[in-house]
């Protein structure tokens, strides 16, 4: 396997679909503003000062439970930065593809990513790298048990940290955005390098209202009577308390599968169907939450 296999996306931004990602995620406006300002500031400072004077790593970390929009928001953020700067190269890394830790393989591949692959891109243009599910790349060395190749996994984390340190000194036009479900499984040395950590929680009532409004609006483009359900949004918002954004989007659409007749013609979808589906999904989310 080559390090190129771990690059799951490589494109120039801005791009329309990335812009849609930014708009799709409903979080408090201040969160989006902060993330964008932090990204732009970090690139500005790093362009003008050496790391020694201004120890800005150009690393932003998004933490939070599954399905809260971290990956989507990160992609959207890259697009907003590209719009602010003109254009940027965007690369998405899948740390899972960096090979197993057996035979020191992942250590070598991790080093290569930071010392060769990313610098090659960054030589030509500002580059934003998404390190999705970064707990795989920089697993907490303190929590490594003695059984599963701890030494090699240890070295992979060392290589990631050393790679990030070198990259942020030598390539001042890179920005790393990392996401994780398990901040506790991420090595503390990685988190300490972050210029900003944003904890993205499940959507609040206002965000849920926006998500539901969005989904109903999308369905109403093809089945206009779905639009009538917007008058019942308040009850949907209450019924979806505690659900993550992914589940909520799915649950609203899943209401259309309550019968074949409705699946064929969503104009027949009624508020009761949506409520019943939401309550069921919320109960399942509760059970999972308890188990976690
Ligand atoms: N706050 C939100 N507002 C609107 N939609 C959301 C929100 N959170 C999640 N979604 C929906 O869920 C989808 C999946 O989100 P995404 O994959 O970005 O979540 P994630 O936090 O990265 O999850 P995971 O931790 O499982 O990787 C998004 O494309 C979006 O449709
Ligand atoms: Mg994700």
């Amino acid at each position: 396997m080559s390090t190129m296999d771990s690059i799951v996306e490589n494109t120039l931004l801005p791009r329309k679909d990335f812009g849609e990602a930014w708009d799709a995620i409903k979080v408090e406006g201040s969160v989006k503003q902060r993330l964008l300002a932090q990204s732009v500031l970090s690139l500005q400072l790093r362009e003008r000062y050496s790391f020694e004077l201004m120890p800005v790593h150009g690393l932003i970390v998004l933490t939070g439970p599954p399905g809260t929009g971290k990956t989507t928001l990160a992609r959207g953020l890259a697009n907003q930065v590209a719009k602010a700067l003109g254009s940027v190269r965007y690369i998405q890394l899948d740390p899972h593809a960096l090979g197993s830790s057996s035979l020191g393989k992942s250590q070598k591949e991790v080093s290569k990513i930071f010392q060769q692959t990313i610098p090659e891109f960054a030589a030509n243009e500002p580059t934003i790298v998404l390190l999705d599910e970064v707990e795989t790349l920089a697993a907490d060395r303190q929590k490594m048990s003695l059984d599963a190749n701890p030494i090699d996994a240890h070295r992979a984390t060392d290589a990631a940290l050393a790679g990030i340190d070198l990259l942020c000194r030598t390539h001042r036009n890179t920005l790393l955005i990392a996401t994780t479900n398990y901040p506790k499984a991420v090595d503390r040395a990685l988190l300490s390098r972050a210029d900003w950590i944003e904890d993205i929680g499940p959507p609040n009532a206002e965000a849920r209202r926006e998500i539901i409004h969005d989904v109903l609006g999308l369905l109403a483009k093809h089945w206009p009577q779905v639009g009538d359900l917007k008058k019942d949004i308040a009850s949907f918002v209450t019924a979806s308390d505690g659900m993550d954004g992914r589940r909520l989007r799915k649950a609203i659409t899943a209401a259309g599968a309550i019968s074949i007749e409705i699946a064929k013609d969503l104009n027949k979808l009624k508020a009761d169907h949506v409520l019943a589906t939401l309550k069921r999904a919320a109960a399942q989310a509760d059970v999972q939450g308890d188990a976690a």
Side-chain angles (χ1 to χ4, degrees):
M1 171 168 339
S2 83
T3 45
M4 278 305 182
D5 296 332
S6 60
I7 294 183
V8 290
E9 194 152 12
N10 167 17
T11 185
L12 268 181
L13 296 182
R15 238 172 69 174
K16 186 167 175 277
D17 54 334
F18 279 66
E20 286 167 358
W22 183 251
D23 295 333
I25 299 304
K26 314 299 181 192
V27 288
E28 276 173 51
S30 59
V31 170
K32 285 188 179 177
Q33 270 179 36
R34 175 80 217 196
L35 289 174
L36 180 56
Q38 180 65 46
S39 307
V40 171
L41 175 72
S42 147
L43 286 167
Q44 290 257 44
L45 292 176
R46 294 169 68 239
E47 197 182 301
R48 289 171 174 80
Y49 302 94
S50 72
F51 183 81
E52 281 61 35
L53 294 178
M54 207 66 81
V56 177
H57 277 84
L59 171 66
I60 290 177
V61 181
L62 306 180
T63 66
T68 48
K70 300 177 296 295
T71 304
T72 312
L73 193 60
R75 293 166 64 83
L77 175 60
N79 199 65
Q80 293 304 106
V81 176
K83 278 177 152 176
L85 300 182
S87 96
V88 301
R89 170 70 46 188
Y90 170 83
I91 297 168
Q92 184 165 339
L93 271 189
D94 176 11
H96 299 280
L98 280 171
S100 74
S101 58
S102 61
L103 307 172
K105 198 168 149 226
S106 71
Q107 177 202 353
K108 277 190 216 121
E109 289 179 352
V110 168
S111 296
K112 197 172 161 204
I113 281 283
F114 287 104
Q115 292 177 20
Q116 185 184 329
T117 316
I118 299 175
E120 274 172 18
F121 287 114
N124 302 319
E125 54 216 343
T127 301
I128 299 182
V129 184
L130 174 56
L131 308 170
D132 209 18
E133 310 192 351
V134 75
E135 68 277 0
T136 322
L137 189 68
D140 187 350
R141 289 165 297 188
Q142 289 187 347
K143 295 215 176 96
M144 284 176 192
S145 63
L146 286 170
D147 33 78
N149 289 328
I151 308 229
D152 290 327
H154 208 284
R155 285 187 183 142
T157 296
D158 292 344
L161 295 170
I164 289 171
D165 282 344
L166 190 69
L167 184 75
C168 75
R169 283 190 160 80
T170 55
H171 290 84
R172 311 286 290 161
N173 59 346
T174 53
L175 186 70
L176 305 174
I177 309 175
T179 75
T180 182
N181 278 333
Y182 307 103
K184 287 190 182 130
V186 178
D187 199 276
R188 240 188 277 164
L190 182 105
L191 296 177
S192 103
R193 280 164 174 73
D195 305 316
W196 187 257
I197 300 176
E198 188 71 55
D199 192 15
I200 314 278
N204 64 18
E206 176 55 25
R208 295 202 304 282
R209 200 193 62 77
E210 287 181 37
I211 294 172
I212 296 164
H213 191 272
D214 232 40
V215 179
L216 294 177
L218 287 169
L219 294 175
K221 283 187 185 167
H222 293 277
W223 296 277
Q225 287 173 41
V226 172
D228 299 345
L229 297 175
K230 285 184 181 165
K231 65 178 177 357
D232 299 294
I233 281 190
S235 62
F236 303 158
V237 169
T238 311
S240 58
D241 189 18
M243 278 166 75
D244 66 61
R246 184 194 279 144
R247 260 181 174 272
L248 178 52
R249 278 188 188 272
K250 280 181 190 289
I252 300 279
T253 31
I258 210 145
S259 73
I260 293 197
E261 207 194 338
I262 294 173
K264 281 188 186 159
D265 178 9
L266 287 169
N267 281 321
K268 294 177 181 155
L269 187 65
K270 295 284 173 289
D272 283 350
H273 303 142
V274 177
L275 270 179
T277 315
L278 280 178
K279 280 178 184 157
R280 187 167 174 271
Q284 286 172 338
D286 273 354
V287 172
Q288 285 181 354
D290 291 346

